[in-house]
Amino acid sequence: MNPKPNRRTEARTLVILVLLCSAFFGFIVLPQLNRVRSMKQKNAPDFTLSVIHGGAGKSQLKLSELRGKAVLLDFWASWCAPCRQQIPTLARVAEKFEKELIVIGVNTGDERAKAVGFLETLGVRYPSVEDAGGVVANAYGVTTLPTLVLIDRQGSIKFVGTHVMSERELQAELAEVR
């Protein structure tokens, strides 16, 4: 014999669920959205990092030296499954738009040897740099991987993506800065 639920108990449960969902949204989701919005239109923090792969023999890459071209930063780590998904798409975009866009991988979570092995296994051709200690990731407010940051020719951040993006989505964002 199933007892009928008390309407007060149901209402109380519903109120508690609504409050929990509101708290989650207010304390977790909204701050992330505001962080992403606040990065847009902001000057991209400059950095100089060691090139660990690609880069035409350069040992250092300085972001401010790339002014005049659009730049797409990809913050990644080899242990990040979504990062592994994103890299082939970035490779195609880097090749397709090589005259207008510079794609730079930013290793945020691996030792150099492991990161280089990972990049070689995937056949990545665009340059990747090492963000030892996560200083650059912190400057860009990166909290999830992968994070893509699109910087226009003048050095302003135009887009921050915190999910795996399709080639079509990336091209739509690139149309804004090309």
Side-chain angles (χ1 to χ4, degrees), residues 52 74-80 83 105-116 118 129-135 137 142 144-145:
I52 60 171
D74 171 33
F75 291 88
W76 63 272
S78 67
W79 47 262
C80 166
C83 298
V106 183
N107 168 35
T108 60
D110 292 308
E111 295 175 358
R112 182 181 289 230
K114 186 172 185 174
V116 170
F118 171 74
V129 295
E130 181 175 38
D131 184 18
V135 174
V142 174
T144 61
L145 296 177

Side-chain angles (χ1 to χ4, degrees), residues 32-125:
Q32 290 299 316
L33 291 175
N34 287 335
R35 178 191 61 80
V36 169
R37 279 192 202 113
S38 71
M39 288 300 294
K40 291 181 184 178
Q41 302 298 328
K42 181 178 177 183
N43 284 335
D46 195 16
F47 61 80
T48 302
L49 293 175
S50 296
V51 176
I52 60 171
H53 184 76
K58 288 188 174 186
S59 61
Q60 298 279 305
L61 189 142
K62 184 171 178 70
L63 180 65
S64 59
E65 292 177 355
L66 302 176
R67 284 266 165 90
K69 286 201 173 201
V71 175
L72 181 62
L73 301 176
D74 171 33
F75 291 88
W76 63 272
S78 67
W79 47 262
C80 166
C83 298
R84 288 177 180 263
Q85 282 181 273
Q86 187 67 78
I87 287 175
T89 302
L90 293 175
R92 286 190 303 275
V93 167
E95 188 174 326
K96 187 172 186 176
F97 298 102
E98 69 183 324
K99 293 181 181 173
E100 311 165 60
L101 175 71
I102 298 171
V103 175
I104 301 169
V106 183
N107 168 35
T108 60
D110 292 308
E111 295 175 358
R112 182 181 289 230
K114 186 172 185 174
V116 170
F118 171 74
L119 294 166
E120 288 174 354
T121 299
L122 290 177
V124 174
R125 293 189 189 155

